[in-house]
Amino acid sequence: MKTWIKICGTTNLVDALAATQAGANALGFIFAESPRRIDPEAAADIVQELPEELEKVGVFVNESPEYILQVAREVELTAIQLHGDESPEYVKSLISLLHQPLKILKALPAQKDKPGGLSDYGDVDAVLIDSGNQKVRGGTGKVFDWLSAGDFIVELQQSIPVIIAGGLTPENVAAAVCMFRPFGVDVVTGVERAPGHKDPERLRRFVANVRAAELAGSERKQ
């Protein structure tokens, strides 16, 4: 199975098209406090120019379900990423209000031990393991301790698809794919030349290195 690749922090059409041409499966649009924040109207203009099969993910932090669904309709998102302190009860209330098919992704901090109540997030389509914290939710450019979090992630993957994020770059993403065999990977700072502006060459290398790691893994299994 191919690794799902999401390029997050999209702020302009040039970068969106570069990520698409590089082979990304999804683009992320941040509707929360961030150097890469984009307003819904600008995101909608970009989405209109993108292939239908490309997933368009809206990133939100502690917003009301009503606001999230309003933005999802306006931008024509295909997925919602909850990157704040949203509880399992919040997720259930959001899903109960859905009137369109939207995937729900929940970001969780990397840690050694399985957090209490994680099984209650069974309604989401995938969880994203990141190195952020309450002050800086994502886009830190820092890798979490892969070894310390390894058992936690392996256990998590038994019940739900896992997306690895946090400090991924073209230089280290192959190692992450080989180590975790995740459902997906998510990158922001590792493919930028400046906050909110992508580097086309780093985008191409990132995707190519993910695919090379997949190939190497499949060959070892044979």
Side-chain angles (χ1 to χ4, degrees):
M1 182 181 72
K2 281 195 171 184
T3 307
W4 183 80
I5 300 174
K6 172 170 164 272
I7 308 297
C8 203
T10 304
T11 63
N12 60 81
L13 180 59
V14 171
D15 286 352
L17 294 177
T20 303
Q21 291 163 2
N25 303 106
L27 298 186
F29 300 90
I30 300 175
F31 303 108
E33 192 61 37
S34 167
R36 304 161 185 88
R37 184 170 191 162
I38 188 169
D39 65 68
E41 183 178 358
D45 289 342
I46 294 172
V47 166
Q48 293 303 312
E49 303 298 324
L50 300 178
E52 184 176 352
E53 64 273 15
L54 186 76
E55 293 194 60
K56 297 89 178 177
V57 184
V59 181
F60 300 88
V61 174
N62 300 331
E63 291 285 1
S64 71
E66 292 77 14
Y67 175 74
I68 290 176
L69 296 179
Q70 174 188 331
V71 173
R73 287 190 295 270
E74 180 180 344
V75 180
E76 297 187 15
L77 299 175
T78 61
I80 293 166
Q81 181 175 316
L82 303 173
H83 218 98
D85 305 310
E86 300 87 2
S87 67
E89 292 71 30
Y90 173 97
V91 173
K92 292 179 189 298
S93 69
L94 175 63
I95 292 174
S96 72
L97 296 174
L98 291 181
H99 296 292
Q100 62 190 102
L102 283 169
K103 291 182 179 179
I104 308 292
L105 316 177
K106 179 68 183 88
L108 297 170
Q111 56 190 71
K112 294 181 184 180
D113 303 314
K114 189 173 181 179
L118 180 59
S119 59
D120 294 336
Y121 283 108
D123 293 314
V124 303
D125 294 280
V127 294
L128 183 146
I129 306 301
D130 202 357
S131 55
N133 52 56
Q134 287 192 329
K135 290 184 178 180
V136 183
R137 297 290 179 171
T140 65
K142 296 179 180 179
V143 178
F144 62 84
D145 189 332
W146 290 355
L147 291 177
S148 294
D151 290 342
F152 157 64
I153 292 173
V154 168
E155 181 180 355
L156 194 54
Q157 287 175 313
Q158 304 306 309
S159 57
I160 194 166
V162 170
I163 301 163
I164 300 296
L168 294 182
T169 67
E171 293 75 28
N172 68 14
V173 70
V177 171
C178 290
M179 180 173 181
F180 297 114
R181 295 294 166 191
F183 163 77
V185 292
D186 188 322
V187 64
V188 182
T189 61
V191 291
E192 288 183 326
R193 52 184 173 81
H197 299 281
K198 306 300 188 225
D199 182 316
E201 177 58 27
R202 291 188 69 78
L203 284 169
R204 288 190 289 269
R205 286 174 53 211
F206 186 89
V207 174
N209 289 346
V210 171
R211 300 302 175 219
E214 292 169 348
L215 181 60
S218 63
E219 289 176 347
R220 281 197 298 270
K221 290 180 180 179
Q222 293 177 0

